[in-house]
Amino acid sequence: MFCLISTLLLSSLVSAQIYGGGPAGTTAAATTTSAAAASVPSAPADTPGHVNIDVAFNNGFVFHPANVTASNGTLVTFYFPNNGLTHSVTQSSFAAPCTFLAANGSAPSGFDSGLTAGTQFSVNITDDTKPIWFHCKQVDHCGMGMVGSVNAPSTGNTFDSFQAAAMKIGSNEAQETDNGAVTGGVNGIATAAPATMSASASSSSGSGSSSSAMRLIASVPLAMLGAVMVVVIF
């Protein structure tokens, strides 16, 4: 009887070490969900000189945050998810929120990430006294309010007014051609096309799996020792 109880206790301890104290099926599902979340890293917290924005935050048709304040020299970086749908950060104007800002005379054209996924795209702010307006040019996204701004004024041509103008266009939004990334810009400069998203989140997830594996391996000798003790006591 003592042997049976000890063996059952030992099995419970080993199971807890392997499965985290819960049923194997439940833990496997939780692990899968966690890994899936880690595969779509989100924008990190802002740091001095860096402002970060999530594109399609929580799988919605939004930028988050939608309006930011950034001084000259600040890098505003957009983080695109890899969730099966491409998006863009396409510079536009307050007067035409869902239309790419084309070159006009001596004025250059705006920046455009092009439709992309699983990447990041940065804009260096060059004139913080003037706002930058942008939108997603994926079909109908701008008309659903997927627009954003940098240094929008708090009165007059505000971000809220800009978004309202985009939503007023709604399904009448003209489909824009996607020719890939466009560098340059007005009041902010994109110096490079979107780059593949940093794998830091995936690395962290991988490290976690490795640590779990190491803990499991380390637990095996303990289990064996426990089994030997049961035999000796019996």
Side-chain angles (χ1 to χ4, degrees):
M1 177 63 70
F2 182 76
C3 176
L4 176 61
I5 294 173
S6 300
T7 302
L8 291 174
L9 178 60
L10 176 62
S11 298
S12 298
L13 290 173
V14 172
S15 175
Q17 287 179 331
I18 296 175
Y19 299 118
T26 302
T27 303
T31 302
T32 301
T33 302
S34 177
S39 69
V40 185
S42 59
D46 294 349
T47 55
H50 297 269
V51 171
N52 302 309
I53 297 176
D54 273 308
V55 178
F57 182 65
N58 284 342
N59 291 322
F61 301 120
V62 295
F63 295 98
H64 178 76
N67 176 53
V68 299
T69 299
S71 58
N72 289 342
T74 298
L75 279 180
V76 177
T77 300
F78 298 87
Y79 287 77
F80 292 82
N82 191 11
N83 60 0
L85 182 62
T86 56
H87 298 276
S88 79
V89 173
T90 304
Q91 190 170 11
S92 52
S93 64
F94 187 88
C98 299
T99 302
F100 174 63
L101 183 62
N104 183 12
S106 60
S109 66
F111 53 77
D112 186 3
S113 68
L115 292 172
T116 185
T119 59
Q120 56 192 57
F121 178 69
S122 295
V123 176
N124 192 334
I125 304 305
T126 57
D127 189 349
D128 57 15
T129 67
K130 298 175 183 177
I132 293 174
W133 310 101
F134 56 86
H135 68 286
C136 174
K137 69 178 180 182
Q138 182 62 268
V139 179
D140 292 335
H141 287 194
C142 181
M144 289 189 287
M146 192 169 180
V147 297
S149 59
V150 179
N151 297 325
S154 56
T155 59
N157 292 348
T158 63
F159 165 75
D160 288 340
S161 298
F162 178 64
Q163 186 176 51
M167 296 181 74
K168 187 175 181 180
I169 294 172
S171 59
N172 293 320
E173 174 188 343
Q175 184 172 346
E176 298 179 272
T177 302
D178 182 43
N179 295 315
V182 177
T183 54
V186 178
N187 305 327
I189 303 295
T191 59
T196 301
M197 185 79 77
S198 169
S200 58
S202 297
S203 297
S204 297
S205 176
S207 298
S209 299
S210 298
S211 297
S212 298
M214 291 301 292
R215 287 195 297 271
L216 177 59
I217 292 171
S219 70
V220 172
L222 293 177
M224 293 177 64
L225 177 61
V228 172
M229 291 175 65
V230 169
V231 172
V232 172
I233 292 174
F234 181 77

PDB file of all heavy atoms in Angstrom, residues 64-82:
ATOM      1  N   HIS A  64      -2.760  52.238 -33.817  1.00  0.00           N
ATOM      2  CA  HIS A  64      -2.776  52.478 -32.372  1.00  0.00           C
ATOM      3  C   HIS A  64      -1.367  52.790 -31.867  1.00  0.00           C
ATOM      4  O   HIS A  64      -0.478  51.953 -31.989  1.00  0.00           O
ATOM      5  CB  HIS A  64      -3.312  51.243 -31.646  1.00  0.00           C
ATOM      6  CG  HIS A  64      -3.320  51.394 -30.153  1.00  0.00           C
ATOM      7  ND1 HIS A  64      -4.257  52.144 -29.485  1.00  0.00           N
ATOM      8  CD2 HIS A  64      -2.487  50.886 -29.202  1.00  0.00           C
ATOM      9  CE1 HIS A  64      -4.008  52.097 -28.187  1.00  0.00           C
ATOM     10  NE2 HIS A  64      -2.948  51.338 -27.992  1.00  0.00           N
ATOM     11  N   PRO A  65      -1.191  53.995 -31.311  1.00  0.00           N
ATOM     12  CA  PRO A  65      -2.175  55.069 -31.244  1.00  0.00           C
ATOM     13  C   PRO A  65      -2.387  55.715 -32.612  1.00  0.00           C
ATOM     14  O   PRO A  65      -1.499  55.674 -33.465  1.00  0.00           O
ATOM     15  CB  PRO A  65      -1.554  56.067 -30.241  1.00  0.00           C
ATOM     16  CG  PRO A  65      -0.090  55.798 -30.307  1.00  0.00           C
ATOM     17  CD  PRO A  65       0.072  54.341 -30.617  1.00  0.00           C
ATOM     18  N   ALA A  66      -3.549  56.313 -32.800  1.00  0.00           N
ATOM     19  CA  ALA A  66      -3.902  56.863 -34.110  1.00  0.00           C
ATOM     20  C   ALA A  66      -3.286  58.244 -34.350  1.00  0.00           C
ATOM     21  O   ALA A  66      -3.051  58.623 -35.498  1.00  0.00           O
ATOM     22  CB  ALA A  66      -5.424  56.951 -34.238  1.00  0.00           C
ATOM     23  N   ASN A  67      -3.038  58.977 -33.283  1.00  0.00           N
ATOM     24  CA  ASN A  67      -2.403  60.286 -33.407  1.00  0.00           C
ATOM     25  C   ASN A  67      -1.282  60.380 -32.388  1.00  0.00           C
ATOM     26  O   ASN A  67      -1.493  60.092 -31.207  1.00  0.00           O
ATOM     27  CB  ASN A  67      -3.415  61.416 -33.185  1.00  0.00           C
ATOM     28  CG  ASN A  67      -2.745  62.787 -33.214  1.00  0.00           C
ATOM     29  OD1 ASN A  67      -2.029  63.119 -34.161  1.00  0.00           O
ATOM     30  ND2 ASN A  67      -2.964  63.593 -32.183  1.00  0.00           N
ATOM     31  N   VAL A  68      -0.092  60.733 -32.836  1.00  0.00           N
ATOM     32  CA  VAL A  68       1.051  60.832 -31.928  1.00  0.00           C
ATOM     33  C   VAL A  68       1.729  62.182 -32.093  1.00  0.00           C
ATOM     34  O   VAL A  68       1.576  62.861 -33.115  1.00  0.00           O
ATOM     35  CB  VAL A  68       2.085  59.708 -32.187  1.00  0.00           C
ATOM     36  CG1 VAL A  68       1.461  58.347 -31.957  1.00  0.00           C
ATOM     37  CG2 VAL A  68       2.661  59.799 -33.598  1.00  0.00           C
ATOM     38  N   THR A  69       2.468  62.548 -31.079  1.00  0.00           N
ATOM     39  CA  THR A  69       3.278  63.766 -31.127  1.00  0.00           C
ATOM     40  C   THR A  69       4.737  63.345 -31.193  1.00  0.00           C
ATOM     41  O   THR A  69       5.183  62.509 -30.388  1.00  0.00           O
ATOM     42  CB  THR A  69       3.040  64.623 -29.869  1.00  0.00           C
ATOM     43  OG1 THR A  69       1.651  64.992 -29.818  1.00  0.00           O
ATOM     44  CG2 THR A  69       3.892  65.883 -29.907  1.00  0.00           C
ATOM     45  N   ALA A  70       5.460  63.891 -32.147  1.00  0.00           N
ATOM     46  CA  ALA A  70       6.862  63.496 -32.329  1.00  0.00           C
ATOM     47  C   ALA A  70       7.678  64.695 -32.789  1.00  0.00           C
ATOM     48  O   ALA A  70       7.309  65.376 -33.742  1.00  0.00           O
ATOM     49  CB  ALA A  70       6.961  62.363 -33.355  1.00  0.00           C
ATOM     50  N   SER A  71       8.761  64.954 -32.099  1.00  0.00           N
ATOM     51  CA  SER A  71       9.623  66.088 -32.437  1.00  0.00           C
ATOM     52  C   SER A  71      10.568  65.732 -33.573  1.00  0.00           C
ATOM     53  O   SER A  71      10.712  64.566 -33.955  1.00  0.00           O
ATOM     54  CB  SER A  71      10.416  66.516 -31.199  1.00  0.00           C
ATOM     55  OG  SER A  71      11.198  65.438 -30.709  1.00  0.00           O
ATOM     56  N   ASN A  72      11.221  66.748 -34.108  1.00  0.00           N
ATOM     57  CA  ASN A  72      12.164  66.526 -35.211  1.00  0.00           C
ATOM     58  C   ASN A  72      13.237  65.514 -34.815  1.00  0.00           C
ATOM     59  O   ASN A  72      13.772  65.555 -33.708  1.00  0.00           O
ATOM     60  CB  ASN A  72      12.829  67.839 -35.608  1.00  0.00           C
ATOM     61  CG  ASN A  72      11.875  68.772 -36.320  1.00  0.00           C
ATOM     62  OD1 ASN A  72      10.834  68.357 -36.813  1.00  0.00           O
ATOM     63  ND2 ASN A  72      12.225  70.062 -36.389  1.00  0.00           N
ATOM     64  N   GLY A  73      13.538  64.631 -35.748  1.00  0.00           N
ATOM     65  CA  GLY A  73      14.544  63.605 -35.491  1.00  0.00           C
ATOM     66  C   GLY A  73      13.996  62.337 -34.879  1.00  0.00           C
ATOM     67  O   GLY A  73      14.710  61.340 -34.770  1.00  0.00           O
ATOM     68  N   THR A  74      12.722  62.361 -34.494  1.00  0.00           N
ATOM     69  CA  THR A  74      12.104  61.161 -33.919  1.00  0.00           C
ATOM     70  C   THR A  74      11.785  60.154 -35.025  1.00  0.00           C
ATOM     71  O   THR A  74      11.323  60.525 -36.100  1.00  0.00           O
ATOM     72  CB  THR A  74      10.796  61.524 -33.182  1.00  0.00           C
ATOM     73  OG1 THR A  74      11.107  62.403 -32.097  1.00  0.00           O
ATOM     74  CG2 THR A  74      10.103  60.290 -32.634  1.00  0.00           C
ATOM     75  N   LEU A  75      12.044  58.902 -34.742  1.00  0.00           N
ATOM     76  CA  LEU A  75      11.666  57.836 -35.674  1.00  0.00           C
ATOM     77  C   LEU A  75      10.302  57.290 -35.260  1.00  0.00           C
ATOM     78  O   LEU A  75      10.138  56.794 -34.142  1.00  0.00           O
ATOM     79  CB  LEU A  75      12.690  56.698 -35.654  1.00  0.00           C
ATOM     80  CG  LEU A  75      13.972  56.880 -36.466  1.00  0.00           C
ATOM     81  CD1 LEU A  75      14.855  55.643 -36.305  1.00  0.00           C
ATOM     82  CD2 LEU A  75      13.670  57.110 -37.942  1.00  0.00           C
ATOM     83  N   VAL A  76       9.343  57.418 -36.151  1.00  0.00           N
ATOM     84  CA  VAL A  76       8.024  56.845 -35.921  1.00  0.00           C
ATOM     85  C   VAL A  76       7.986  55.525 -36.690  1.00  0.00           C
ATOM     86  O   VAL A  76       8.107  55.519 -37.915  1.00  0.00           O
ATOM     87  CB  VAL A  76       6.908  57.780 -36.401  1.00  0.00           C
ATOM     88  CG1 VAL A  76       5.538  57.127 -36.207  1.00  0.00           C
ATOM     89  CG2 VAL A  76       6.972  59.116 -35.655  1.00  0.00           C
ATOM     90  N   THR A  77       7.868  54.428 -35.967  1.00  0.00           N
ATOM     91  CA  THR A  77       7.923  53.105 -36.597  1.00  0.00           C
ATOM     92  C   THR A  77       6.573  52.421 -36.511  1.00  0.00           C
ATOM     93  O   THR A  77       5.958  52.346 -35.448  1.00  0.00           O
ATOM     94  CB  THR A  77       8.999  52.231 -35.933  1.00  0.00           C
ATOM     95  OG1 THR A  77      10.273  52.869 -36.079  1.00  0.00           O
ATOM     96  CG2 THR A  77       9.064  50.855 -36.587  1.00  0.00           C
ATOM     97  N   PHE A  78       6.129  51.894 -37.644  1.00  0.00           N
ATOM     98  CA  PHE A  78       4.858  51.193 -37.753  1.00  0.00           C
ATOM     99  C   PHE A  78       5.116  49.686 -37.782  1.00  0.00           C
ATOM    100  O   PHE A  78       5.962  49.215 -38.541  1.00  0.00           O
ATOM    101  CB  PHE A  78       4.136  51.625 -39.032  1.00  0.00           C
ATOM    102  CG  PHE A  78       3.789  53.091 -39.072  1.00  0.00           C
ATOM    103  CD1 PHE A  78       4.700  54.025 -39.547  1.00  0.00           C
ATOM    104  CD2 PHE A  78       2.550  53.546 -38.630  1.00  0.00           C
ATOM    105  CE1 PHE A  78       4.396  55.378 -39.581  1.00  0.00           C
ATOM    106  CE2 PHE A  78       2.228  54.896 -38.661  1.00  0.00           C
ATOM    107  CZ  PHE A  78       3.161  55.816 -39.131  1.00  0.00           C
ATOM    108  N   TYR A  79       4.381  48.959 -36.962  1.00  0.00           N
ATOM    109  CA  TYR A  79       4.532  47.513 -36.861  1.00  0.00           C
ATOM    110  C   TYR A  79       3.318  46.832 -37.500  1.00  0.00           C
ATOM    111  O   TYR A  79       2.189  46.986 -37.034  1.00  0.00           O
ATOM    112  CB  TYR A  79       4.668  47.092 -35.396  1.00  0.00           C
ATOM    113  CG  TYR A  79       6.015  47.453 -34.819  1.00  0.00           C
ATOM    114  CD1 TYR A  79       6.320  48.763 -34.450  1.00  0.00           C
ATOM    115  CD2 TYR A  79       7.002  46.485 -34.653  1.00  0.00           C
ATOM    116  CE1 TYR A  79       7.568  49.103 -33.949  1.00  0.00           C
ATOM    117  CE2 TYR A  79       8.249  46.811 -34.140  1.00  0.00           C
ATOM    118  CZ  TYR A  79       8.523  48.120 -33.801  1.00  0.00           C
ATOM    119  OH  TYR A  79       9.758  48.450 -33.296  1.00  0.00           O
ATOM    120  N   PHE A  80       3.575  46.089 -38.577  1.00  0.00           N
ATOM    121  CA  PHE A  80       2.519  45.421 -39.322  1.00  0.00           C
ATOM    122  C   PHE A  80       2.383  43.972 -38.846  1.00  0.00           C
ATOM    123  O   PHE A  80       3.374  43.239 -38.782  1.00  0.00           O
ATOM    124  CB  PHE A  80       2.843  45.414 -40.815  1.00  0.00           C
ATOM    125  CG  PHE A  80       2.808  46.770 -41.472  1.00  0.00           C
ATOM    126  CD1 PHE A  80       3.894  47.627 -41.385  1.00  0.00           C
ATOM    127  CD2 PHE A  80       1.691  47.189 -42.178  1.00  0.00           C
ATOM    128  CE1 PHE A  80       3.871  48.881 -41.987  1.00  0.00           C
ATOM    129  CE2 PHE A  80       1.656  48.431 -42.790  1.00  0.00           C
ATOM    130  CZ  PHE A  80       2.751  49.281 -42.696  1.00  0.00           C
ATOM    131  N   PRO A  81       1.165  43.532 -38.557  1.00  0.00           N
ATOM    132  CA  PRO A  81       0.976  42.128 -38.156  1.00  0.00           C
ATOM    133  C   PRO A  81       1.097  41.214 -39.360  1.00  0.00           C
ATOM    134  O   PRO A  81       1.039  41.655 -40.513  1.00  0.00           O
ATOM    135  CB  PRO A  81      -0.465  42.127 -37.615  1.00  0.00           C
ATOM    136  CG  PRO A  81      -1.152  43.180 -38.433  1.00  0.00           C
ATOM    137  CD  PRO A  81      -0.101  44.270 -38.609  1.00  0.00           C
ATOM    138  N   ASN A  82       1.265  39.944 -39.088  1.00  0.00           N
ATOM    139  CA  ASN A  82       1.297  38.940 -40.143  1.00  0.00           C
ATOM    140  C   ASN A  82       0.118  38.007 -39.913  1.00  0.00           C
ATOM    141  O   ASN A  82       0.269  36.863 -39.513  1.00  0.00           O
ATOM    142  CB  ASN A  82       2.625  38.175 -40.101  1.00  0.00           C
ATOM    143  CG  ASN A  82       2.819  37.299 -41.326  1.00  0.00           C
ATOM    144  OD1 ASN A  82       2.075  37.402 -42.297  1.00  0.00           O
ATOM    145  ND2 ASN A  82       3.807  36.428 -41.271  1.00  0.00           N
TER     146      ASN A  82
END
